[in-house]
Amino acid sequence: QVHVTESGGGSVQAGGSLRLSCTAPECETRKCCMAWYRQAPGQEREEVGTIETDGRPIYRYTVKDRFIISQDNTKSILNLQMSSLTPEDTAMYYCAAEIISTSDFRRGDRCYALYKHETFPYWGQGTQVTVVS
């Protein structure tokens, strides 16, 4: 079981910035994959980004030049620094996590597979981001 909690959402004007954080305390002592997704009203959930076990960030193409994903040293906090926000970024932002095996960790592609297929079993409640023009 992984308890996932997002924070940092809010309302911001277009062109502004926000920083979201996701905490998963169990990932401090277990190897995990974590990722960010978002869902706008009336639309399907879409991927935003993740970090592979070798530290490589992976982004949705529409955010890769504006968003930065990072992890703290404990690997239990996944941050999403968002800049140059547009109204199209308005959505509920969700964090997801999964505990992975040591072999998957070493293979270096498990997080991407979970991220692309949205097969994370543990999800937070979400944090709302609203960008006003």
Side-chain angles (χ1 to χ4, degrees):
Q1 179 76 27
V2 180
H3 297 87
V4 180
T5 305
E6 305 95 338
S7 63
S11 182
V12 63
Q13 286 198 327
S17 301
L18 274 177
R19 181 181 175 88
L20 307 184
S21 291
C22 170
T23 61
E26 292 82 359
C27 294
E28 187 168 349
T29 55
R30 305 287 297 275
K31 292 179 174 57
C32 289
C33 289
M34 298 172 69
W36 283 102
Y37 295 84
R38 67 186 183 185
Q39 187 169 21
Q43 298 187 23
E44 293 190 354
R45 186 172 61 200
E46 62 184 25
E47 60 201 39
V48 175
T50 187
I51 291 182
E52 191 49 86
T53 56
D54 61 4
R56 287 175 297 121
I58 299 167
Y59 299 100
R60 178 180 187 77
Y61 73 98
T62 57
V63 307
K64 68 182 182 66
D65 294 326
R66 301 183 294 120
F67 292 8
I68 298 174
I69 288 180
S70 63
Q71 276 184 315
D72 75 323
N73 290 336
T74 69
K75 308 295 186 186
S76 66
I77 299 175
L78 188 71
N79 298 306
L80 181 66
Q81 179 67 48
M82 305 184 294
S83 59
S84 301
L85 287 163
T86 74
E88 288 68 37
D89 295 313
T90 294
M92 185 72 80
Y93 282 69
Y94 296 94
C95 181
E98 165 68 309
I99 296 171
I100 62 174
S101 66
T102 298
S103 60
D104 279 344
F105 181 86
R106 290 172 179 166
R107 200 171 67 195
D109 61 4
R110 180 60 176 157
C111 297
Y112 178 75
L114 288 165
Y115 167 72
K116 289 301 292 184
H117 298 290
E118 294 191 32
T119 49
F120 287 94
Y122 305 112
W123 293 78
Q125 295 296 308
T127 186
Q128 177 68 39
V129 172
T130 301
V131 185
V132 297
S133 57

